[in-house]
Amino acid sequence: MRFHLLGSLEVLDDDLPVPLGGLKQRAALGFLLLQANRVVATSKLLQAMWPRDVVPPTARKMLQNAVSGLRGVLSAHGGDRDGSPMLLTHAPGYLLRVDEDSLDLFHFQRLTEQGRRELAAGNWPAAAEVLRNALGLWRGPVLADLAETGINWPELTATKDWRPAAQEDCFEAELACGRHAEIIGELESLIELEPYRERLGGQLMLALYRCGRQVDALNVYRRTRTALVEELGLEPGRELQELERAILDHASTLDLPPSVQRRHLLAVDQASPPAPVVITPPVVEPAPPVVVAEVPDAPVVERKLVSVVMVSAQLGLAAGDGDPEDVDAVHQEVASVVSAEVSRLGGVVGGSVGSVFLALFGVPKTAEDDADRAVRASIAIRDRLDAVAEVQVGVATGDALVRLSPSSAPTASGVLLDRCRQLMALAPLGAVRACTSTRDAASSVIWESDGAPTGGWQAISCESPRGANRRSQAAVPFVERERELLVLQGLLDEVRTRRRPHFVTVLGEAGMGKTRLVDEVASSGTTALRGTATAFGDDHGYGPLADVVSGFAPFATLRAALGELVGAGELADRLHSSLACLADPGAGVRPDFPAWRRFLEEAAESEPLIVLLEDLHWANDVVLDFVEELGEQAGSVPLLVIVTARPELLQRRPSWFGGKRNATTISLEPLSHNGTRRLLNSLLHARDLSPELWQALVSYASGNPLFATEYAGMVSDARTVCLQNDATLPVPPSVRGVLTAQLDALPTEVKAVLQDAALTGDLVSPGAVAATGRRDVREVAQVLELLEQRDFLRRRGRNNETGEIEYGFRHLLVRDVVAEQIPRAERASKHERARAWNSRLALDLTGRRAG
C-alpha cells in the first residue's frame, strides 16, 4: 500500500485507489500519517478531528469507530504481507506503523535532503535532477481535501514552506547548470504568488541578466522593493541590494561557473573570449595524487587548544578493607559518573589508569567554551562522588597534539597533560584545581579569590550559564548599528499601533554584536521578557522558554501571577500546569504549544511585549517548532519576538520564517574600518600606540566587536608582550576558540583542503592547493567553491593566464589559525611543495610568453 499526502489524501493498493470512509476517518488517517511511526495521544487526535468545535461527549466512541474502520481497510488491502501498515493501540493513544518508502511525504524529505547534499557539494546537475524528482511528487497542498474543510493543524502549517524552499534550491542548481532561459517562465509565475520571497526574486533577476535582459532584471528588483517598502515598510535584504549593484556594474561574480560558461556563451550568441592558458600543476614529488576524500581509518593529527580533566579517586578508602571486588564496584561507579558528566557537557573520556580518569574537551570538535565545560563537568563529578569516594580533580587548558581516528577514541599528547597531572596531585581531597588559562576562560565558575601557593586556582561552584551570568563582560560601545536599531524600533512602533505580532531574526557570526543590539531595544522602556539558549546540557534546550517564564514571575509564585493575569480559574490552572514543567526540564517537558502561545498572548494583551530569545541555534527542536508555530498562530496582540542566532540556525532550518509577511531577518555585517577604529578608541581610551600597532589591531579585529574587545583587553594587559616593531600580537584564546569552532564545523575532508590552502600564499588557486596537498585539482576546485559559500574564502577574480579562479582568505586570522593546526613537520613539507609549484608555474608562464 502507498499513501499520498502531497495533495489530496490518497491510499493506493497496486496503483488502485482504496476507498475510505467519511471525513472523520479521513482526518484520523491524515493526522496519523503526518505522525507516522510515532505514538499520537488520544487527546491530541481528538483535538485534530474537532479543531474548531467543542468536542462532543461521544467523540471517543466516534474516534474508536474511525480507528476500527481504518484497521479494516488496512487489513483488507495489506493482509499479512511483510511491511504492511498496522494501526496499533499504544498508550497513551495510537501508533500507525508504515514503511517510510510507502509515504510520499517521507520520500520527498529524503530526496530534498539528497538534493541539498549534492548542492552543497557543487554537483549541480545531480542536485537539479534529484530536486526535480522531489517536486514532481506534489499534486497540491498537503492534505488539500482536508484543508478545504477548514482543518488547519500546526503540522500542516509546518509543511507550507517545504515546497517553495525546495523549488528555490532546485532553481539554484539549474542556474548553476546554465538553464536560466528554461526556468524564467516558472520563476515569473512563482514570484507573482510569492512577491516577498527575496531569494526567489534574486534568482529571477540572475536568470534574466544571464539571458541579456538586464533592464527586466532591474525591473524585478524595483517591483520587489516597492512591495516591501509600501506594504511592509522594509527595504530589501543586503543580498538583493548587492545583486542589483552587481547587475548595474556587470560584475564578473554573476558569471556562470567555469564548467558551463562556454556552453552558455554559445547559447546566447555572444563571442567567445580567448581560451585561457591551461597549466597542469607539476608533480613536485613522484607520488600519486590523493583525492579529497580521506583514506578510511587514516588518523588526522592536529595541534589544538584543548582542556584536559584528570580525576583521581581514592577507591581503597571508599571500599572498606580494599577487597578487589569491592574496589572494582566503586571503580565502576566512579567511571560511570565520570563518563555521564563528561558526555553531558560535550567532552570525551580518554580512558583510565588505575584510579585516575582522563577526559578531553575540545576534541574532536572545538567549542568556544571548552574550558567552562571542563570545569563544570569537574565540579559535577566532585559533587556526585562526594558520598562514593574522595576525589582530586585537575583541569588544564592549552595546546596539545591530537590524533583523531574513525576507529578509535581521540588521544592527546604534550606537556599539557603533565601540567594537569600536577594540578590534580596538588589539589586537596574533594577539590577541583585549574590552571590560570582555564580560570581566565571559565566565566561561569566561581573561584577562590587567591591562587594556591603551590600553583593553580581552586573552583568553588558554578553559576547558571544563561542570561546575564553567562554574559558578564564589560559594556561594549554601540557602534555602527544605528540602522538596524532604527528597523527594530520601527517594528516595535508598528506592533504597538497596529496590535499585530511581528517576528525578527537577527543573524550574525559569534561576537558580531547581536546581544549588544537587542540590549538597546530592551532598554526602550517596553516590557521585555528574555531567554537564552546555551550549549551546555543543563537545560535540555528549553532554557529560553524557562527564562521567559521566570522573567514574567519566579516559578515559586507563578500560579499567583497567572491568576492576576487571566483571573483565577481553569485557564490559570492549565497555563500553570503547562509552564511549571519548564522549571526542571530534566524531569521531562510536555510540549503544549497552545498553552505556551496563550500565555504570551495574554501577557501582551494589555501592553506591548518584547520577547527576546537569544542564541536560538542552540535551542532544541521543540523550542524552534514552537517559535515557528507562534509565527503562524499568534493572535492580534502587540507582540514583538526578536530571535538572535548564528547562521548555523539556517543550516538546521533552511526555511526559517522565509517569505512570511510578519517576519523580518536582519544580518549583522562586520564593522567598517572607521567603525572598528572608533570602537578600539573607546575601549583603549586613546592610549598612545604606534601607527603600526593601530593598523594591526584594526586588521586583526576585522570588524568583529568581540575580536576588537579581546584585542583591546590584550593590549591593555601589562602581562602582554607587544612587539611594536612589527606589530605582532598573539591570538586571544577566546578569538581562537571562536575561529576554531567554525573550522571544526566543516566536514573533515573540506577542512583538510582549507588547511592546504592556508599554506599557498596570499592567493589561493585550485592548482596550488592540489599540488600542496597532492589532491585532484577538479575536486579541489569544487571544495574551494564550497568554502567561498561558507564565507571562509573570498573570490579575487580569474587569473588571465591560467584561467583559474583565485581566492583570498576572508580574514588573515582564519588563515593563521588554520595553518597553526598543522603539525610542524607536515607544515614544512607542504610549504615546500607549495613553493615548488609556484616556481614551476612561474617558469612555465615565462616559457609560454617567450614562445
Side-chain angles (χ1 to χ4, degrees):
M1 297 182 71
R2 290 182 289 114
F3 302 91
H4 292 171
L5 306 186
L6 303 180
S8 297
L9 177 60
E10 285 185 354
V11 181
L12 301 177
D13 185 11
D14 291 333
D15 293 330
L16 297 177
V18 174
L20 297 173
L23 175 61
K24 295 305 178 188
Q25 188 180 102
R26 296 176 68 86
L29 177 60
F31 195 77
L32 288 168
L33 285 170
L34 288 173
Q35 310 281 349
N37 300 321
R38 289 181 288 180
V39 177
V40 180
T42 301
S43 59
K44 191 171 184 179
L45 195 49
L46 290 171
Q47 185 180 6
M49 294 174 67
W50 284 272
R52 294 183 176 179
D53 307 325
V54 177
V55 178
T58 59
R60 286 185 178 271
K61 182 63 176 175
M62 296 171 69
L63 174 58
Q64 291 169 0
N65 291 338
V67 169
S68 177
L70 288 174
R71 283 175 173 155
V73 170
L74 297 177
S75 176
H77 293 271
D80 296 327
R81 287 176 288 182
D82 292 340
S84 60
M86 292 186 293
L87 181 50
L88 308 174
T89 300
H90 195 304
Y94 299 96
L95 169 66
L96 179 56
R97 183 171 295 161
V98 300
D99 184 350
E100 292 190 355
D101 290 334
S102 67
L103 192 57
D104 63 350
L105 187 66
F106 287 165
H107 190 198
F108 169 77
Q109 290 174 314
R110 282 198 300 271
L111 287 175
T112 53
E113 289 171 3
Q114 179 187 348
R116 284 165 181 156
R117 286 195 300 270
E118 298 286 0
L119 193 63
N123 300 328
W124 318 121
E129 181 180 0
V130 172
L131 289 167
R132 278 294 172 190
N133 291 338
L135 292 168
L137 298 173
W138 287 76
R139 299 167 292 111
V142 176
L143 295 178
D145 53 336
L146 296 179
E148 286 295 325
T149 67
I151 285 177
N152 188 24
W153 300 324
E155 290 79 4
L156 287 180
T157 302
T159 66
K160 287 184 178 178
D161 196 54
W162 290 6
R163 188 180 188 182
Q167 287 172 320
E168 290 173 340
D169 290 333
C170 183
F171 292 142
E172 180 177 336
E174 291 178 328
L175 282 168
C177 292
R179 302 173 189 165
H180 30 268
E182 294 95 321
I183 63 174
I184 284 179
E186 191 175 355
L187 279 166
E188 288 176 333
S189 299
L190 288 173
I191 205 70
E192 291 296 325
L193 300 174
E194 301 278 359
Y196 305 113
R197 292 188 77 94
E198 295 189 24
R199 185 185 181 195
L200 201 63
Q203 290 171 334
L204 177 57
M205 291 168 63
L206 184 59
L208 291 167
Y209 173 79
R210 286 182 176 171
C211 287
R213 297 168 59 183
Q214 180 188 12
V215 174
D216 292 337
L218 294 173
N219 284 336
V220 172
Y221 175 81
R222 294 189 187 97
R223 289 199 304 269
T224 303
R225 181 181 181 278
T226 299
L228 290 170
V229 171
E230 293 184 354
E231 299 187 31
L232 303 180
L234 300 174
E235 288 287 341
R238 175 181 59 85
E239 292 83 359
L240 208 62
Q241 293 183 34
E242 290 182 351
L243 178 58
E244 183 211 22
R245 285 194 293 271
I247 290 174
L248 288 169
D249 297 339
H250 292 279
S252 60
T253 55
L254 302 182
D255 292 342
L256 278 166
S259 60
V260 294
Q261 188 174 34
R262 182 177 298 280
R263 175 166 56 82
H264 166 64
L265 292 173
L266 293 174
V268 294
D269 283 330
Q270 295 183 8
S272 297
V277 178
V278 179
I279 298 178
T280 304
V283 178
V284 180
E285 298 179 17
V290 180
V291 297
V292 174
E294 294 183 9
V295 178
D297 295 332
V300 175
V301 183
E302 288 184 348
R303 298 170 61 98
K304 298 198 72 171
L305 180 69
V306 300
S307 291
V308 180
V309 175
M310 287 189 182
V311 181
S312 174
Q314 304 295 323
L315 303 182
L317 297 176
D321 59 2
D323 182 86
E325 293 186 22
D326 295 336
V327 172
D328 182 69
V330 177
H331 183 280
Q332 295 301 324
E333 186 171 357
V334 173
S336 176
V337 169
V338 171
S339 177
E341 292 300 330
V342 169
S343 299
R344 181 176 66 87
L345 287 166
V348 295
V349 177
S352 64
V353 178
S355 60
V356 177
F357 299 82
L358 171 69
L360 302 172
F361 288 81
V363 178
K365 292 187 177 182
T366 299
E368 299 155 34
D369 47 11
D370 283 320
D372 222 341
R373 293 167 182 255
V375 180
R376 294 179 74 86
S378 301
I379 292 174
I381 291 168
R382 178 200 67 185
D383 294 345
R384 285 186 59 181
L385 293 178
D386 183 53
V388 178
E390 294 183 303
V391 299
Q392 299 165 281
V393 186
V395 187
T397 299
D399 286 319
L401 195 66
V402 176
R403 284 180 171 82
L404 307 172
S405 173
S407 58
S408 59
T411 62
S413 58
V415 71
L416 180 67
L417 277 75
D418 293 330
R419 193 184 314 152
C420 185
R421 180 181 54 79
Q422 293 168 3
L423 289 165
M424 176 191 68
L426 293 171
L429 290 175
V432 175
R433 182 171 288 190
C435 67
T436 301
S437 296
T438 303
R439 177 185 179 273
D440 292 344
S443 58
S444 72
V445 179
I446 299 174
W447 303 88
E448 285 192 347
S449 55
D450 297 320
T454 53
W457 300 81
Q458 200 147 307
I460 301 173
S461 61
C462 296
E463 297 179 305
S464 166
R466 299 205 301 271
N469 291 331
R470 191 173 65 83
R471 299 180 180 279
S472 55
Q473 54 183 323
V476 178
F478 193 72
V479 176
E480 278 194 354
R481 299 297 187 216
E482 291 80 8
R483 184 181 68 84
E484 291 84 356
L485 180 59
L486 285 174
V487 170
L488 291 176
Q489 290 172 336
L491 291 172
L492 178 59
D493 290 340
E494 182 177 333
V495 163
R496 181 183 291 111
T497 56
R498 298 190 179 186
R499 292 186 59 83
R500 188 170 64 188
H502 202 90
F503 296 79
V504 183
T505 303
V506 181
L507 293 174
E509 297 285 357
M512 204 56 72
K514 301 182 292 295
T515 296
R516 185 67 184 87
L517 174 62
V518 299
D519 281 345
E520 289 293 312
V521 182
S523 63
S524 64
T526 304
T527 302
L529 300 178
R530 192 168 196 156
T532 304
T534 74
F536 293 116
D538 303 55
D539 59 25
H540 301 275
Y542 288 97
L545 300 185
D547 288 345
V548 167
V549 174
S550 62
F552 170 75
F555 280 99
T557 60
L558 179 59
R559 184 181 293 273
L562 290 171
E564 294 180 6
L565 181 67
V566 300
E570 181 181 350
L571 177 57
D573 293 340
R574 182 192 168 204
L575 293 180
H576 181 264
S577 174
S578 297
L579 297 172
C581 60
L582 295 169
D584 184 16
V589 175
R590 300 180 302 277
D592 188 349
F593 290 4
W596 296 351
R597 182 177 70 248
R598 181 69 179 273
F599 160 66
L600 294 177
E601 289 173 344
E602 293 290 345
E605 179 64 35
S606 58
E607 61 178 356
L609 174 66
I610 302 173
V611 175
L612 303 173
L613 303 174
E614 295 191 72
D615 292 339
L616 222 62
H617 52 278
W618 279 323
N620 64 21
D621 285 330
V622 174
V623 173
L624 297 181
D625 288 343
F626 170 63
V627 176
E628 290 196 289
E629 191 264 6
L630 184 65
E632 294 285 348
Q633 303 293 335
S636 297
V637 292
L639 173 66
L640 179 63
V641 178
I642 303 176
V643 168
T644 71
R646 297 180 189 173
E648 298 94 278
L649 175 64
L650 299 185
Q651 296 176 18
R652 289 178 63 185
R653 300 288 175 105
S655 59
W656 178 262
F657 279 100
K660 293 184 172 62
R661 298 186 63 174
N662 63 337
T664 299
T665 299
I666 296 174
S667 295
L668 295 188
E669 297 300 318
L671 303 178
S672 67
H673 179 94
N674 290 336
T676 304
R677 189 171 182 102
R678 280 170 46 206
L679 177 58
L680 287 167
N681 258 322
S682 61
L683 293 169
L684 292 169
H685 306 295
R687 285 193 57 188
D688 186 19
L689 302 178
S690 68
E692 294 79 12
L693 186 54
W694 265 114
Q695 183 177 353
L697 284 173
V698 173
S699 176
Y700 286 147
S702 190
N704 186 304
L706 172 64
F707 292 5
T709 302
E710 293 299 313
Y711 271 106
M714 175 179 286
V715 171
S716 300
D717 191 337
R719 297 173 297 177
T720 302
V721 179
C722 296
L723 305 178
Q724 298 199 19
N725 292 334
D726 56 0
T728 300
L729 286 172
V731 182
S734 58
V735 175
R736 184 179 174 189
V738 168
L739 296 175
T740 307
Q742 294 174 358
L743 296 171
D744 285 353
L746 292 170
T748 305
E749 60 274 14
V750 175
K751 181 181 173 184
V753 172
L754 187 64
Q755 289 176 333
D756 293 340
L759 303 178
T760 61
D762 292 337
L763 289 178
V764 177
S765 66
V769 176
T772 301
R774 293 174 175 167
R775 304 175 187 276
D776 180 82
V777 68
R778 290 169 296 181
E779 295 189 29
V780 168
Q782 292 178 352
V783 175
L784 293 180
E785 286 187 15
L786 175 61
L787 289 167
E788 182 194 14
Q789 295 169 11
R790 296 285 187 91
D791 207 27
F792 286 96
L793 300 177
R794 297 278 171 86
R795 189 175 300 209
R796 296 287 178 81
R798 188 183 299 276
N799 187 301
N800 292 331
E801 295 183 299
T802 67
E804 288 191 314
I805 296 175
E806 294 178 327
Y807 303 87
F809 272 82
R810 166 177 62 92
H811 192 305
L812 293 181
L813 276 182
V814 175
R815 185 186 68 182
D816 294 345
V817 170
V818 172
E820 286 174 3
Q821 291 184 328
I822 307 173
R824 284 198 304 267
E826 183 182 355
R827 194 187 319 164
S829 176
K830 290 188 174 184
H831 262 308
E832 183 58 35
R833 289 201 292 269
R835 282 195 294 269
W837 188 90
N838 284 323
S839 299
R840 289 283 300 274
L841 176 64
L843 288 173
D844 199 355
L845 287 174
T846 301
R848 288 172 182 267
R849 291 171 189 144

